[in-house]
Amino acid sequence: MFYFDAFVGCDMKLWRKEFAVFEYCLVASYLDNISVEEVLKSRNCENGSLACQVSLRLLVAFHHIVVALHRQGEGYDYVLIDDLELNKLFDILCFASRLVAWILSRIVGASVGFRVGGWKCLRDLVVKFKKGPVESISVGEVRLSIRQSLVKLGVGFISRDPKLQVLICDLEVVMRPSRRGTKKTKTRRSRSRSSGRGKWMVLANLARFLSVSVTDLAVRTPKATIDVKELRLDISKDGGSKPNLFVKLKILPILIHMGEPRISSDQTLNFNSGGCISSGEVAFGNMEREVGVIIQNVDINSGMVSVNLNEELLSSKKTSSDAFAPTDKESVADSAVSKNPHNKQSKLEVITQYTSMIPEKVCFTLPKLDFRFVHREHDLVVENNIMGIQLKSIKSRSAEDVGETTRLDIQMDFSEIHLLREAGTSVLEILKVDVVSFVYIPTEPISPVRAEVDVKLGGTQCNILMSRIKPWLRLHHSKKKKMVLREETSTPVRSLTTKSNVIMWTCTVSAPEMTIVLYSISGLPLYHGCSQSSHVFANNISSMGTAVHMELGELNLHMADEYQECLKESPFGMESNSGALMHIAKVSLDWGKKDIESSEEDGARCKLVLNVDVTGMVVYLNFKRVESLITTAIAFQALLKSMSASGKRMAQSRGGRSSKPSGKGTQFLKFNLERCSVNFCGETGLENTVVVDPKRVNYGSQGGRVIISVLDDGTPRSANIMSTASDDCKNLKYSVSLDIFHFTLCMNKEKQSTEMELERARSMYQEYLEENKLDTKVTLLDMQNAKFVRRSGGVKGIAICSLFSATDIKVRWEPDVHLSLIELVLQLKLLVHNQKLWVYGNECKEDASSMKDTNQKKEPPLASEDKHKKRESIFAVDVEMLTISAEAGDGIEAVVQVQSIFSENARIGLLLEGLLLSFNGSRVLKSSRMQISRIPSTPSSLSDAKTPASMTWDWVIQGLDVHICLPYRLQLRAIDDSIEDMLRGLKLITAAKTALIFPMKKESSKPKKSSSTKFGSVKFCIRKLTADIEEEPIQGWLDEHYHLTKNEVSELAVRLKFFDEFISKANHGPKAAETIDSSQEGKVMYDGVEIDLQNPSNIQEMREGIYKRSFRSYYHACQKLVTSEGSGACVEGFQAGFKPSTARTSLLSISATELEVSLTRIDGGDAGMIEVLRKLDPVCRENDIPFSRLYGSNIFLRTGTLAVQLRNYTFPLFAATSGKCEGCIVLAQQATSFQPQIYQDVFIGRWRKVSMLRSASGTTPPVKSYFNLPLHFQKGEVSFGVGYEPSFADVSYAFTVALRRANLSVRNSGAPQVQPPKKERSLPWWDDVRNYIHGNVTLFFSETRWRVLATTDPYEKLDQLQFVSGLMEIQQSDGRVYVYTRDFKILISSLEKLASSCGLKLPSGASGAFLEAPVFTLEVTMDWECDSGTPLNHYLFALPIEGKPRDKVFDPFRSTSLSLRWNFSFRPSPPLCESQSPSFSAEDGKVVDGTVYDPPYKLENVSIVSPTLNVGAHDLAWLIKFWNMNYLPPHKLRSFSRWPRFGIARATRSGNLSLDKVMTEFFFALMLHLLV
């Protein structure tokens, strides 16, 4: 129809009628063997229009030719064709050709040129169009021929319709270049659907007689050229009520050239094997036009397809697309606004409308698809292959709940897929892909389209080849360099309405096995990862949008070389996790939008969430694997750094970007780890080495600080590190594991928060000296129920808020673990250093120099920026139980335990509850609650306030109750020495390993910048402080039960005495015989029981009852005792069986309540402390003594009460109230010459021993104390008795054990300590006091009471001598004690003792004072003599300027003579105008250092009182007895310290004389000032 419409241009209705008549004529003439003219005459069609006549004549001639050829095919020998008819036909053809050329030139505006090569051949046909997309069409030759159709209609049926075959050779179509200007919009005229269907019917009826064959087809455009070698089209039609049209299209190789014409073959899309559409069926329901066209079956078979592209094609496409891209911002906004809810309905209508055009059955086959891309600039070649492509589609009708739908069953198969293939290896290889999908399209556009896709992958392998990815990265970053900065566009406001989808789809992807292989840059395989099963489920059914769920099962990561070795060892297959670097049992991933509560009212609740669940993760590491990981990471980092260096420069030049989250992408991440185990196996060396051991020495003012690196003989000072294992064992194998249970990580991008939860984490350390033989197993970490939260601070001035909480944390430290990890860190450090040198080369040095330059440039602005206050971060802590244990030394176990740690901001302070510190199981420190905090320091002076120094913080330690204990026989000095030796040994071993593994000399580093925060003062605020010495368990138990038994025995003796008296009276009484008759003779009532006194057994039972009652009373008394827990020092052995009560736990206890102690720095540092020493010690000032160590501070002390108690004696040794002190304390060590050195063996851990040099014992000066303490108390009480002396001896033993040198080593317990021979004996205790304690200590009391017991029983309550005074001052300095007091009284208990012995009771106030004195002074002067002649010079060791140690150290200072002078003065009350004391005045008794005290007396209107002495005969007898007991006490008491003690080895006595023998002069002066 199109041919006749365009060619003749006649009426359509007339042509349809005439064509139908002509078709009838042809059929009739063919069947009846009559001429067409006769048929036309019979139909009255002779007269008609010109077009009708011409067309009918042409068709008649065509009919004759067809009939002739048909008859020839049936066996006729010849076909008679009239010459006249041929001449007519040729003339008609010539006329028709001219007519066609004329019509085209008139209507289309094209020029047509051709040559007639015969009656059925046209040559050199050229059609040139003046307008339109086609510029010209040229045909080399057009030839017509008649053949019979061979199209198969079915099984065994072949169409035999005659065919007009059109042969076209050298067809070339040239397209005109498209104009870039604005295109005019054309209005399309609406065409009725019936007319379109009618044209299709006419075209189908006409085309079934036509067969087209095109050879050498070329379509040329300015950008591409399409060449087809051969094209064949054959159409046939069968009969019936619903005729079917069969189309067969065959295309031989197709070549598509992109770019300019005549380009090279690498820019070609090549279909090498051609393409063939084997059978296509188009079925018409009937021959009426209203029925339309239904495509039933489309079968496409294609040959191999090859596509070759280069960068020029892509760049040209991108340029063309950019040219037409909208540049106006409003166009983007308009396109966004144009979207409305009606779009969904319109899209559904379009999809429903085009559904009918989908064939009912489609089959597509492509054996191979090759895609090749070449980038010449970056030398990039990409080859991709897809083989075995098959596509099948079936359309059917189905009834659903939403109505009738059209169902499409689509199946696609790929046999092999190779992406980025080169040299036989592809980046991605998939052996089999099966895609099955079902699409449900509703007939009516009321519901969305539903699609179900199921993808199954066969063997999948991904090879990450960095050598191939590197050019892509280079290409990617090269594109960034060409980036053009554009103006920022505002983000369009998204609608909060629910988005409705046009297509509701569900996709499932499953792969039985996936393999990922990572290759190095050199092309060697590094890691081999495998997933046994993978499943991906995705859909957009929910109104939230797309949701993805992925499951990966049995993930294994191997080292490539280890994986190949495992394959060789097990040729029949191996376990999936055998020798794996990492094994994961299961990984689940969920991605999609979910409803999340938002604190903002207008904030969207629907957020994009990513959930990752990992179950059963195990990581196996060793040094080789870690080395591979680090090497790979550094190599990739260098690669990315080299690629992105230019990109970073551009980013820096463009300026910083806002850190505010964009709101795009995943907003919420949740990661769950069910269980994870990380294991590392390594080796540590046990080699014997020698390391230099220089010693730093401080000579003070006589040489300063120097480093001694050479011994006296010229040899270097060094230490020997030796292994305690066998010589064959050079390495120690160990393993460190970390087990994690139920770990959860949540990240909120919108709130900028991170939350981590951990149920339990445990780390183990194991050592293997021999293969598969466990020697040691240590738990390094055990943490339960931990949680960490971090989020941006919402409060002004706070940047980040963090919280860490845990229920139980246990940490263990051991030297072997420390050294193993140190060696591992050194090896990794060396590995990273060498790898960076190998990768970067000289770039490291250049980067370092550039960094130095930039830092120097940045220093000035940083100084100005420091002035601005930074936003601080808050870190909160909440830990229920923390236990830290460590092997602090050889034979030393240290444990720190805290039951609760809480802090709202750890930068400010911590609250500790249940603090416990212990050594070797013995508790040293305990506190129920302690708070450690810091506060900004206030400037002490105006100069400090003016200086803009860095922030100074004062530390405050507050405690509810603090208990410091010296456990029984705990050797504190030995523990301190062992810890010091351990730290020094660790330092030496670390230095040796550093020199052996990583001997890199550090460049001269920059001087350390002063810290922005400085340490100020320390303040202790403790409500109750107790420091005690633990009692020996058996001693405390015996003393306590002795007194209980003593009471019961005394009571028992009294009971037995009364019982015997009662029996004797009952038996021998005169009235007994008269009152008792014969029947009741000898019977009495006792405790309500009748007892026969004549029966000895009854009397014995009564006596035993008295014993039992006494024992029962003793038992009840024992039950009332509260047993003490003790410090833990005696949990084993004989002493563990004795449990004293809480009252007898301590030997000596010092307790203070409401204690406040502030320690501040002494102005001037070391120089200021030396100045204090010179003021307190004249010898230091005169001799200019140098000091090597100085520790001192100003002290400010306040206390409510202070008490010193010996055991549970009746009276405290010292007790005072309302104490206050403001002074200073300095601890100083004299500088001496370099001491003699000896070797000492120190065991570090279980496998190492260090032989190091140390100073010989006795050659190091001790640390001495210097005090300047004025102590003020409101009320004081002091007690003493002869019975206290055994306790003093026990205290002395306790300090002797605590301060003596001892060997606590458990690995070197039997080895004797090599010490130089001792040349002299130690000093006695009074000389030690003269040597160690110096300065001025002053005590002030408002009132005092001194008790001296008159018996040897320390529990005595009545018999005592008392000194009572008012205001008292006690001054102590070197060699002098001065006491000044007012209202002095001496009270003795002679009268009370006499009355008690006589059984009398004195009335209250009957006993008066023995001595009364308004003013009493006492001055004790001690003048010592020694061999040196200067007894006050206590600096015994050689000075640095002497150059060598002194031969004698203690002997010159040892006291040889003591002159002790006692000056007593009793004075009357002084007048008001006189000064009573050098330190007191009349007002001093009222106000002491700012504290108001009530004076015990009133000075005004009081008469002058003289000293008074009241004495009687009983007083003299009592005083004589008191003097004899104190001066000559019982032998065992005074010499108790010399007798052997249980479990205490007797040390060799020093041979020093006793103090009474040293005392050569005793002067006693008594001055009485009496008023007459």
Side-chain angles (χ1 to χ4, degrees), residues 1117-1137:
C1118 293
Q1119 293 297 320
K1120 293 180 181 179
L1121 297 177
V1122 180
T1123 305
S1124 173
E1125 298 178 356
S1127 65
C1130 299
V1131 294
E1132 296 179 355
F1134 177 73
Q1135 296 277 1

Side-chain angles (χ1 to χ4, degrees), residues 809-1005:
I809 301 177
K810 295 180 181 179
V811 181
R812 173 70 177 174
W813 182 90
E814 287 193 358
D816 291 325
V817 182
H818 179 84
L819 293 175
S820 298
L821 296 181
I822 284 291
E823 183 173 353
L824 176 62
V825 170
L826 290 174
Q827 291 175 352
L828 296 179
K829 188 177 179 181
L830 177 63
L831 172 64
V832 172
H833 178 77
N834 294 336
Q835 189 66 22
K836 285 186 176 180
L837 287 180
W838 181 77
V839 172
Y840 296 102
N842 295 327
E843 295 181 4
C844 296
K845 299 180 180 179
E846 296 176 359
D847 294 342
S849 60
S850 62
M851 289 295 293
K852 291 180 181 179
D853 296 339
T854 54
N855 291 336
Q856 292 176 0
K857 294 179 181 178
K858 290 181 180 179
E859 282 179 0
L862 283 176
S864 61
E865 291 178 1
D866 290 339
K867 298 180 181 180
H868 302 284
K869 185 178 180 181
K870 297 181 180 179
R871 298 181 64 190
E872 63 177 11
S873 300
I874 291 179
F875 189 85
V877 179
D878 185 7
V879 179
E880 295 184 9
M881 177 65 75
L882 173 63
T883 303
I884 302 175
S885 61
E887 183 182 345
D890 187 9
I892 306 300
E893 286 291 329
V895 177
V896 178
Q897 183 176 346
V898 185
Q899 294 182 0
S900 176
I901 302 177
F902 177 77
S903 174
E904 294 182 355
N905 189 357
R907 299 180 70 252
I908 297 178
L910 288 173
L911 177 62
L912 310 177
E913 294 183 357
L915 176 63
L916 178 67
L917 171 63
S918 63
F919 291 101
N920 291 345
S922 301
R923 173 175 47 84
V924 177
L925 175 65
K926 181 180 180 181
S927 175
S928 61
R929 178 175 295 182
M930 180 180 292
Q931 180 175 345
I932 303 174
S933 57
R934 66 172 188 171
I935 57 176
S937 177
T938 56
S940 60
S941 61
L942 295 177
S943 60
D944 296 338
K946 292 180 180 180
T947 55
S950 57
M951 179 64 71
T952 302
W953 294 89
D954 293 340
W955 291 85
V956 180
I957 301 176
Q958 297 174 317
L960 181 62
D961 58 339
V962 179
H963 186 194
I964 302 173
C965 177
L966 174 60
Y968 175 65
R969 293 185 184 175
L970 183 65
Q971 302 173 359
L972 292 179
R973 179 176 179 178
I975 292 175
D976 179 69
D977 293 341
S978 181
I979 294 175
E980 183 181 357
D981 293 340
M982 169 71 75
L983 295 177
R984 187 180 169 195
L986 283 176
K987 184 178 180 181
L988 291 173
I989 296 176
T990 303
K993 288 189 174 295
T994 304
L996 182 63
I997 299 175
F998 191 61
M1000 299 294 177
K1001 293 184 178 180
K1002 296 183 180 179
E1003 297 180 358
S1004 58
S1005 57

Side-chain angles (χ1 to χ4, degrees), residues 1063-1081:
I1063 295 299
S1064 62
K1065 289 180 181 180
N1067 291 332
H1068 303 286
K1071 298 180 181 180
E1074 299 178 357
T1075 57
I1076 299 175
D1077 55 2
S1078 60
S1079 61
Q1080 295 185 356
E1081 184 179 358

